[in-house]
Amino acid sequence: MLRLFKLTLICALALAAHAQTPSKAQLDADQAATLKGIQEIAVVVDVNKVFLSNGLTAEQLQTDIELRLRKAGIAVVDATTVMREAMSRPTYDDETKRLIKRVMDLAVLNISVSGGTTTSQSSLFFVVLIELRQAVTIDRNQKEDRCTTWEDNAIGTLGVGRVLSLKDDVGDLTDRFLNAYLSVNPPVR
């Protein structure tokens, strides 16, 4: 009798926990909703030295990603250029404040390719992370901060001679981002 009670209790708790767990589709929709209204994005790419030494460069990835964003109708901004323009102004006037605020409010798409060699030394493990960071306001105290509001990743292994195939993984993740972005920012025709 006690065993039946414990089994029933475990099943009930499992069902309750499952009912409160949002589905992947709901999590994807919640993440996508945070992209609504973003009009311009800066792109930052970081590639681990293991992949750099095997021919993959941040510049290649940056160019590919920025091109995909532009084709989708998203303005790509170089945050460094805007900040440099703000800092080069002779006076701290309204235009300088506007430029600094633009940089602070700018959404940034970060792409990181990291990993290393496996024990066999003939293959590499990799983690490709793509995340959008943007300015947010915390409801409970109205504090402004920057945080990740959308992210995805790819994890795997590959042969040392196939490092350039990581461009495909980065492209796939960028396409996932664009699908989420366009789901809440449909193109105006």
Side-chain angles (χ1 to χ4, degrees), residues 82-97:
V82 176
M83 185 55 96
R84 212 176 277 137
E85 182 182 341
M87 295 299 129
S88 68
R89 296 186 54 79
T91 59
Y92 187 73
D93 58 7
D94 288 341
E95 179 62 12
T96 305
K97 290 177 189 175

Side-chain angles (χ1 to χ4, degrees), residues 51 111-115 125-130 151-158 165-166 168-174 176:
F51 302 106
I111 296 86
S112 170
V113 180
S114 59
F125 68 90
F126 67 87
V127 177
V128 179
L129 174 66
I130 181 170
E151 68 180 347
D152 205 346
N153 64 65
I155 300 170
T157 60
L158 48 76
S165 70
L166 283 172
D168 294 333
D169 291 299
V170 172
D172 291 345
L173 290 171
T174 303
R176 288 187 207 166

Side-chain angles (χ1 to χ4, degrees), residues 120-166:
S120 71
Q121 300 293 316
S122 63
S123 62
L124 303 169
F125 68 90
F126 67 87
V127 177
V128 179
L129 174 66
I130 181 170
E131 64 179 1
L132 184 104
R133 295 180 58 82
Q134 62 180 313
V136 297
T137 302
I138 300 170
D139 283 342
R140 74 175 169 277
N141 61 10
Q142 297 304 300
K143 182 178 182 245
E144 292 185 14
D145 205 346
R146 295 187 66 75
C147 73
T148 300
T149 61
W150 186 96
E151 68 180 347
D152 205 346
N153 64 65
I155 300 170
T157 60
L158 48 76
V160 172
R162 297 198 23 87
V163 166
L164 293 180
S165 70
L166 283 172

Side-chain angles (χ1 to χ4, degrees), residues 40-44 79 103 106-110 131-134 146:
E40 57 184 16
I41 295 176
V43 176
V44 176
V103 169
L106 191 59
V108 178
L109 189 64
N110 292 307
E131 64 179 1
L132 184 104
R133 295 180 58 82
Q134 62 180 313
R146 295 187 66 75

Side-chain angles (χ1 to χ4, degrees), residues 16 31 63 90 98 116 122 143 182 184:
Q31 279 197 97
T63 300
R98 185 191 70 74
S122 63
K143 182 178 182 245
L182 293 171
V184 295

